[in-house]
Amino acid sequence: MTKYNDSEAYLEKKSFFKQLLTIYGRKPVLEALHSSSIPCFRLHLASSNKSSKIIKDIEQLAKDKNIEVTYHDRQSLSRISKNGKQDQGVCLDISCPNHQDYESFLKNIAENDKRKPIRLLALDRITNPQNLGMIIRSSCAGDIDGLLMPKKGCAKLDALVIKASTGTLFKAPILHCDSLTKSLDECKKQGASVVGLSSHTEKSLKDFIEPDFIIYVLGNETEGMSMEIEEHCDQLIKIPMNNNVESLNVAVTASLLAFRNLV
């Protein structure tokens, strides 16, 4: 008997919710509503919000765009925003068509007999919103098919990340996962080679020949990859440095990888 969690209906429903991103704060929400390129799904407002020009503008824009508006008490809104101290009584659900869970991505790969080479970046505890935003921007602009992001351990996809990504977060190819180790293992079953970036290895990116399905793992800004993730890597490579420089900012590293085959 097929389990519900393995059914196509479940995966489709799960992917739909992965495509929804909730942003909060009056100015970010107002800017999103003003944009013609951001598909907005539902507006959430605190019923206790005092009348103000920006609140009226937000409500009017939602009405003009036929966006559903729901009102909540402060506690309920805080659960939606997951940041009650900074949501300012306003949240907006945005549809991000290129966001999905990694299982759906792998399912599409399995169904595609004539697939092109696949290049992914995997993030291990990238906690700085500025770095995460810049990584997302490079992934969106460069030759990256997906950014594998675990549910826990990385910076939240909030207003700071949106700003650092210069709005590319909404269209970047983000693959959500609950566990990075599990998702890497599942990808390896589909033929992926997992390569960790590390300054403590001899093999250089310059000499590395990419296989058809590659996942580059980027580690924490100060500690690098965790031992658990490193154990799941097939090999480690480094970016060669001059002048005794030990390492690069993780966002710079992501950019070099994203554009490696384009420049």
Side-chain angles (χ1 to χ4, degrees):
M1 185 174 68
T2 301
K3 294 182 180 179
Y4 175 69
N5 282 0
D6 295 329
S7 69
E8 290 188 8
Y10 172 80
L11 286 176
E12 289 177 3
K13 183 177 181 181
K14 185 178 179 183
S15 291
F16 170 75
F17 285 108
K18 290 295 184 183
Q19 291 174 356
L20 293 181
L21 173 67
T22 300
I23 64 173
Y24 56 82
R26 298 182 181 189
K27 187 175 180 181
V29 167
L30 184 65
E31 290 176 352
L33 288 169
H34 269 300
S35 174
S36 59
S37 62
I38 299 176
C40 303
F41 181 70
R42 181 183 291 119
L43 175 66
H44 304 273
L45 296 172
S47 53
S48 60
N49 284 337
K50 294 182 180 180
S51 180
S52 65
K53 183 180 184 305
I54 192 168
I55 291 294
K56 290 180 179 178
D57 288 345
I58 287 171
E59 290 178 312
Q60 187 60 51
L61 281 168
K63 181 180 179 180
D64 293 343
K65 290 189 169 186
N66 294 318
I67 297 169
E68 180 184 352
V69 181
T70 57
Y71 295 86
H72 311 267
D73 59 54
R74 287 295 302 156
Q75 186 175 7
S76 297
L77 190 75
S78 295
R79 286 197 293 267
I80 295 170
S81 71
K82 296 181 175 61
N83 196 332
K85 294 181 179 180
Q86 297 183 26
D87 63 35
Q88 299 177 307
V90 179
C91 300
L92 180 66
D93 292 333
I94 294 172
S95 177
C96 302
N98 293 330
H99 292 207
Q100 60 182 311
D101 59 271
Y102 82 96
E103 295 107 325
S104 296
F105 181 80
L106 291 180
K107 181 174 179 289
N108 290 335
I109 291 175
E111 293 174 349
N112 187 358
D113 294 330
K114 296 180 180 179
R115 69 189 190 198
K116 70 179 185 68
I118 299 167
R119 306 179 76 242
L120 305 182
L121 296 182
L123 305 185
D124 177 24
R125 302 170 301 136
I126 304 300
T127 58
N128 184 294
Q130 184 77 14
N131 283 335
L132 180 55
M134 290 190 292
I135 291 171
I136 289 170
R137 183 180 183 182
S138 294
S139 298
C140 189
D143 183 26
I144 296 296
D145 298 291
L147 187 61
L148 195 57
M149 282 192 59
K151 185 177 180 180
K152 296 181 180 180
C154 288
K156 294 182 179 179
L157 299 179
D158 58 14
L160 293 175
V161 174
I162 293 170
K163 183 177 180 180
S165 76
T166 62
T168 58
L169 172 60
F170 306 123
K171 53 188 176 182
I174 293 181
L175 309 178
H176 296 279
C177 64
D178 292 326
S179 166
L180 186 56
T181 54
K182 179 182 177 182
S183 62
L184 290 176
D185 284 341
E186 291 298 320
C187 288
K188 290 171 80 168
K189 291 178 183 178
Q190 291 276 8
S193 294
V194 179
V195 176
L197 272 293
S198 172
S199 59
H200 307 296
T201 185
E202 293 302 319
K203 189 162 187 176
S204 170
L205 178 64
K206 180 181 178 181
D207 304 317
F208 178 64
I209 299 175
E210 289 187 355
D212 287 341
F213 189 175
I214 180 70
I215 303 177
Y216 291 109
V217 183
L218 302 174
N220 177 265
E221 290 90 343
T222 56
E223 300 174 357
M225 281 184 298
S226 65
M227 288 298 298
E228 181 183 20
I229 296 299
E230 186 172 325
E231 290 173 356
H232 283 72
C233 293
D234 297 307
Q235 58 181 306
L236 303 178
I237 59 173
K238 68 177 181 180
I239 294 175
M241 305 282 176
N242 292 323
N243 299 314
N244 296 319
V245 176
E246 183 178 350
S247 64
L248 294 174
N249 173 276
V250 66
V252 175
T253 300
S255 295
L256 291 173
L257 295 171
F259 289 92
R260 185 187 185 207
N261 298 332
L262 297 180
V263 296

